[in-house]
Amino acid sequence: MSFAYTEREKVRVTFASLLGIQMDPIGYGDLTAIISCASMYLFQLAAVVYVVAYRKHRPIGALFPSSLAIMYAASVLWFVGDVFANNMAHPNRITSNCIFTAVWLRTALGQVAIYGVMTFHTTLALLRYRFGTDMEDARTRRRIQLLVAGAIVACNMAVATITTLVPKSRTVKFVQVLDVCEFTPAFKNTGVIISWVAWAIPFLTSVYVFFKVACAHNEGRHLLAACLALAVALIFHTATYYIKPKYPTKLVWRVAVVCMDQAACLAAWWLVAGRAIYGCLLYRDAYLDDWDNRDSAFVYSAKNTDEC
């Protein structure tokens, strides 16, 4: 994968100019952004390994480490899909399939999957603290987790599969001479609507949990902050879609979109898991005692408290 200004790249840029498109060549600016984002994910991988390794530690286990690992994997897939769908790297035979990169990697397995993980966390927080669901019983907890996760995965996969079966002339196609994905206006609008609906579900749930439900460990605050972090990237991405519809052809815009997306993913993950990781790393026993005390005090009063 070359980022040098090769003869082939010169031809691509020249052909774009003949079509009236000002295209910045794929170069070392794109490579710098890719390396920066990949480095952050490499650092975050250590935190994911820590969470999974200490999943039996109660404050860590309460975060559902498997869902955090899935959220990390979805962020990486979103990043890979972003890189190729936004023209930051030269595609090969596989990544030139826009349905694979833009629909499956970036959207279904990436962006919407992260919103699904947030929905999973907000729903379980709501069930435990608002409706008094017995989450301490292992069988009940496992059944509820599988039910919520299964519903989210089924909806996501159904939408992505239907999109794949629709003719590419109505969705997205790869323009060979320009090495870019071209979306139809209807498909672009549909994608934006789906993204906002998928985000709105965990956001509205977290708002309700934050304002109306008593939580033992301020889950409502953390989940709401994570949803707002994701909203910043979604707003920026949506605005760029319509203000600069050909943004992948410009270096500044495509780098800004990709970096904003990945910064939001990282921020959301750390807002959900950061406090527990920090407490368990620096003062494990004291944090565990405080966590147990708060859990015991809140579990009986959750229905009668209006603050979270």
Side-chain angles (χ1 to χ4, degrees):
M1 185 182 296
S2 174
F3 290 88
Y5 193 46
T6 61
E7 287 298 325
R8 181 178 180 274
E9 186 66 4
K10 291 179 183 178
V11 171
R12 190 174 74 99
V13 173
T14 301
F15 194 88
S17 65
L18 294 176
L19 296 177
I21 301 173
Q22 294 183 345
M23 177 178 289
D24 291 338
I26 296 172
Y28 292 107
D30 299 285
L31 179 61
T32 301
I34 292 172
I35 292 175
S36 299
C37 292
S39 299
M40 290 190 294
Y41 279 119
L42 187 62
F43 169 77
Q44 189 186 3
L45 179 61
V48 175
V49 171
Y50 177 83
V51 167
V52 174
Y54 289 91
R55 61 189 179 276
K56 294 185 179 180
H57 193 59
R58 286 191 295 279
I60 297 293
L63 297 174
F64 308 104
S66 58
S67 70
L68 293 177
I70 292 173
M71 188 174 181
Y72 171 79
S75 300
V76 173
L77 292 176
W78 187 354
F79 171 56
V80 175
D82 251 355
V83 166
F84 289 102
N86 288 322
N87 195 36
M88 290 184 68
H90 293 291
N92 54 34
R93 187 172 60 180
I94 297 176
T95 56
S96 62
N97 185 335
C98 295
I99 292 292
F100 175 66
T101 56
V103 175
W104 282 98
L105 288 184
R106 185 174 70 176
T107 305
L109 300 178
Q111 181 183 20
V112 177
I114 289 177
Y115 299 157
V117 173
M118 295 303 301
T119 300
F120 177 81
H121 280 267
T122 55
T123 301
L124 293 184
L126 182 65
L127 289 173
R128 179 179 184 184
Y129 294 114
R130 181 66 179 90
F131 299 105
T133 304
D134 185 13
M135 299 295 287
E136 300 305 321
D137 179 71
R139 181 175 298 179
T140 302
R141 181 174 65 248
R142 187 66 176 172
R143 189 176 301 165
I144 292 175
Q145 291 174 12
L146 291 176
L147 180 62
V148 174
I152 294 170
V153 171
C155 292
N156 191 10
M157 292 299 100
V159 173
T161 302
I162 292 173
T163 303
T164 304
L165 297 176
V166 174
K168 292 183 180 180
S169 59
R170 298 183 179 180
T171 55
V172 57
K173 61 181 180 180
F174 183 72
V175 182
Q176 188 71 40
V177 292
L178 298 178
D179 282 354
V180 296
C181 293
E182 185 178 74
F183 300 86
T184 63
F187 181 68
K188 181 186 293 186
N189 295 336
T190 302
V192 170
I193 292 172
I194 290 175
S195 296
W196 276 103
V197 170
W199 171 83
I201 295 172
F203 171 71
L204 294 176
T205 309
S206 65
V207 168
Y208 182 82
V209 172
F210 179 73
F211 287 105
K212 296 294 184 180
V213 182
C215 300
H217 310 288
N218 293 322
E219 288 92 338
R221 181 187 305 169
H222 302 154
L223 294 171
L224 178 58
C227 288
L228 291 175
L230 293 170
V232 173
L234 187 54
I235 291 171
F236 183 78
H237 205 155
T238 302
T240 306
Y241 251 40
Y242 293 104
I243 297 174
K244 296 285 185 180
K246 297 186 182 299
Y247 75 89
T249 63
K250 304 299 292 182
L251 174 64
V252 173
W253 284 103
R254 64 182 180 243
V255 168
V257 168
V258 172
C259 290
M260 182 70 75
D261 287 345
Q262 305 318 309
C265 292
L266 290 167
W269 195 93
W270 283 103
L271 284 168
V272 173
R275 182 181 178 184
I277 294 175
Y278 175 81
C280 292
L281 274 174
L282 297 186
Y283 46 100
R284 179 180 302 178
D285 293 337
Y287 182 75
L288 178 59
D289 290 340
D290 178 69
W291 192 91
D292 286 337
N293 291 335
R294 290 171 64 88
D295 197 56
S296 299
F298 273 84
V299 71
Y300 297 107
S301 60
K303 293 182 180 180
N304 302 317
T305 306
D306 295 328
E307 298 179 358
C308 186

